[in-house]
């Protein structure tokens, strides 16, 4: 646990008592603060009481006005589409609002750091797609190279739940837009921006607000090195804003598809090969086509981002290349579950929006595509130009019929449930084809999370007969 500093003897509100909220309350108490906890649900309050915290109703002014700060969980809106009443009132009363990421950065530097030979460092990864894989890959590479590295944030453990890093330790954080939007302190040593595509539009009041939330990690944080994906206009803009010119190697531009050899420092992947350039000179080239845990161009972009971040931390090309080949990938992200009679079954349940689903559709040939769920704005319109590899679509969930209309003449079948979709795809698949779960939709119509959806698909596939 990282004890929260700066609130000794003060009352600090904690709104939302899920994983991050309870970890925040513990860390505040460990640092000498007095956590004042509240959750709108009786279940959440009961969990806090079981840990010895006494909930107080933060909806009351006579409670709010006694607080030095209110710490909110990332899932609770603070501005759009409408702020939670507690947060709205706190801001009206002038009570600061923060989150666990802000507390992490303000509390990370311990007095013992003065005795370390190498100060601990923080890598923070944000973006729309690929940030979980990139975060896990960076951590894997560092650990394979013998570095003391831990993964936290939006993946792995809560940021305040980890042990303080020791001499030379590295904390690798995945940060969502919900987390970067509100944190009052953001000071990573290396910050990574993977890409940008529409998501969480209601929470950020549109694309501009969404990008602004991501940009805060760089504008507020002032990282020593910024790794920026430049395959979208926003990334090109961000790289230009952060650099003093094309040869400024504090910014490492990355791409999947573009050749970037004219900058001070760049890493890019084209046609399955990763290249690193500095000052116009190629320093490394790696064949990614045989890396089983990173299939497809979207994963090659993740590899480029992880490569750049690890090079910024001082690792050599050979160490990074070796670690790429031993990376197993993450569950629910282009995860190869099984092969039966020449048919591969791939779980990409994390493809909760159309852009991430498109990346999966581009990664595999001859696809029997399981899609659907709780569709987002636009449905699957954004995939219509990337259906060349799709043999047939099997549509499930709330948006099955909407998706069917949008997919038009593509061979398709409305299956409603995952059980029926897996059974039908298995019955019709031929050797050399891929049965791909890439829903292009949220899971909440039928499942509590994309993980539960992916686990259900995996269980069904593992139960299929060989013949």
């Amino acid at each position: 646990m990282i004890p929260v500093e700066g609130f000794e003897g003060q009352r600090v509100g904690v709104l939302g008592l899920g994983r991050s909220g309870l970890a925040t309350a513990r860390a505040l108490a460990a640092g000498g603060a007095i956590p004042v906890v509240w959750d709108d649900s009786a279940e959440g309050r009961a969990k806090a009481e079981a840990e010895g915290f006494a909930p107080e109703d933060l909806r009351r002014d006579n409670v709010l006005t006694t607080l030095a700060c209110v710490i909110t969980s990332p899932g609770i809106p603070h501005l759009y589409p409408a702020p939670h009443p507690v947060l709205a009132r706190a801001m009206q009363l002038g009570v600061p609002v923060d989150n666990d990421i802000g507390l992490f950065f303000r509390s990370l530097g311990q007095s013992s750091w003065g005795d370390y030979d190498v100060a601990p460092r923080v890598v923070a990864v944000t973006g729309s797609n690929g940030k979980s894989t990139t975060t896990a890959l960076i951590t894997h590479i560092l650990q394979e190279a013998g570095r003391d590295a831990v993964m936290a944030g939006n993946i792995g453990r809560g940021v305040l739940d980890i042990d303080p890093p020791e001499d030379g330790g590295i904390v690798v954080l995945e940060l969502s837009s919900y987390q970067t939007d509100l944190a009052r302190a953001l000071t990573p040593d290396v910050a990574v921006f993977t890409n940008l595509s529409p998501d969480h539009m209601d929470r950020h009041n549109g694309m501009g607000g969404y990008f602004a939330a991501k940009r805060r990690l760089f504008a507020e944080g002032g990282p020593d090195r910024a790794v920026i994906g430049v395959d979208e206009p926003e990334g090109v803009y961000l790289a230009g804003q952060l650099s003093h010119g094309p040869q400024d190697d504090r910014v490492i531009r990355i791409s999947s598809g573009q050749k970037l050899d004219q900058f001070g420092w760049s890493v890019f992947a084209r046609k399955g090969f990763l290249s690193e350039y500095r000052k116009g000179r190629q320093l490394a080239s790696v064949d990614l086509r045989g890396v089983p845990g990173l299939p497809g161009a979207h994963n090659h972009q993740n590899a480029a981002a992880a490569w750049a971040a690890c090079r910024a931390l001082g690792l050599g090309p050979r160490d990074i290349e070796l670690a790429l080949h031993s990376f197993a990938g993450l569950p629910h992200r282009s995860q190869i579950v099984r092969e039966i009679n020449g048919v591969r079954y791939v779980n990409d349940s994390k493809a909760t929006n159309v852009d991430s689903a498109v990346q999966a559709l581009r990664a595999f040939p001859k696809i029997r595509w399981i899609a659907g769920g709780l569709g987002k704005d636009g449905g699957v319109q954004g995939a219509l130009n990337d259906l060349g590899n799709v043999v047939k679509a099997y549509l499930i969930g709330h948006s099955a019929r909407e998706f069917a209309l949008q997919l038009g003449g593509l061979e398709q079948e409305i299956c409603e449930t995952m059980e029926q979709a897996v059974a039908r795809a298995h019955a019709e698949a031929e050797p050399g084809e891929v049965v791909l779960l890439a829903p292009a939709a949220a899971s909440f119509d039928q499942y509590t999370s994309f993980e539960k959806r992916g686990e259900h698909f995996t269980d069904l596939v593992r139960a299929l007969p060989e013949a």
Side-chain angles (χ1 to χ4, degrees), residues 46-69:
K47 287 181 181 178
E49 289 175 334
E51 292 202 23
F53 298 109
E56 295 185 45
D57 192 344
L58 296 183
R59 297 171 296 184
R60 295 164 49 193
D61 280 8
N62 64 342
V63 176
L64 274 179
T65 53
T66 68
L67 305 180
C69 188

Side-chain angles (χ1 to χ4, degrees), residues 73-337:
S73 294
I76 298 174
H78 59 274
L79 188 56
Y80 302 113
H84 187 282
V86 168
L87 302 181
R89 187 59 180 154
M91 289 184 279
Q92 288 170 353
L93 294 170
V95 179
V97 176
D98 203 349
N99 60 19
D100 61 337
I101 302 301
L103 294 184
F104 167 83
F105 278 111
R106 75 176 275 166
S107 305
L108 184 61
Q110 308 293 321
S111 57
S112 59
W113 283 22
D115 300 326
Y116 292 162
D117 292 329
V118 179
R121 285 177 286 181
V122 177
V123 180
V125 181
T126 195
S128 295
N129 299 311
K131 57 185 180 292
S132 295
T133 297
T134 299
T135 302
L137 182 56
I138 292 169
T139 307
H140 172 78
I141 294 168
L142 291 169
Q143 291 174 344
E144 288 292 295
R147 302 293 182 92
D148 180 13
V150 63
M151 179 172 64
N154 206 41
I155 186 175
R157 298 165 64 188
V159 291
L160 296 173
D161 217 18
I162 65 174
D163 295 328
E166 300 291 336
D167 192 339
I170 301 169
V171 179
V172 188
L173 300 179
E174 178 193 336
L175 298 182
S176 72
S177 58
Y178 295 179
Q179 294 168 312
T180 58
D181 195 22
L182 188 61
R184 294 169 69 91
L186 286 168
T187 54
D189 298 279
V190 178
V192 179
F193 175 85
T194 58
N195 50 56
L196 198 77
S197 61
D199 208 357
H200 310 304
M201 293 295 97
D202 59 335
R203 181 66 180 264
H204 298 292
N205 199 32
M207 196 69 173
Y210 180 47
F211 176 52
K214 301 287 189 185
R215 184 178 178 273
R216 285 193 77 245
L217 181 62
F218 303 86
E220 303 286 335
D224 296 332
R225 282 280 192 277
V227 177
I228 308 293
V230 295
D231 288 334
E232 293 86 29
E234 293 87 354
V236 175
Y237 167 80
L238 182 57
Q241 286 280 296
L242 296 172
S243 65
H244 289 299
Q247 297 307 306
D248 185 352
D249 64 4
R250 295 174 303 167
V251 175
I252 309 175
R253 291 167 171 84
I254 64 164
S255 172
S256 175
Q258 299 183 67
K259 184 175 183 179
L260 305 174
D261 58 356
Q262 70 272 38
F263 298 104
W265 200 347
S266 61
V267 181
F268 57 91
R270 296 178 73 231
K271 300 179 180 179
F273 287 86
L274 180 147
S275 299
E276 177 186 359
Y277 274 77
R278 291 195 73 170
K279 309 292 185 185
R281 186 167 67 92
Q282 186 173 18
L283 300 184
S285 178
V286 176
D287 187 350
L288 298 174
R289 294 172 299 177
V291 178
L294 296 167
H298 62 303
N299 274 311
H300 294 173
Q301 184 190 57
N302 299 334
W307 182 287
C310 290
R311 290 287 282 143
L313 292 168
L315 269 65
R318 182 59 178 163
D319 287 337
I320 301 174
E321 181 179 0
L322 287 173
L324 291 177
H325 285 273
S326 60
F327 180 64
L330 288 177
H332 318 299
R333 297 160 177 87
S334 295
Q335 174 194 12
I336 298 175
V337 175

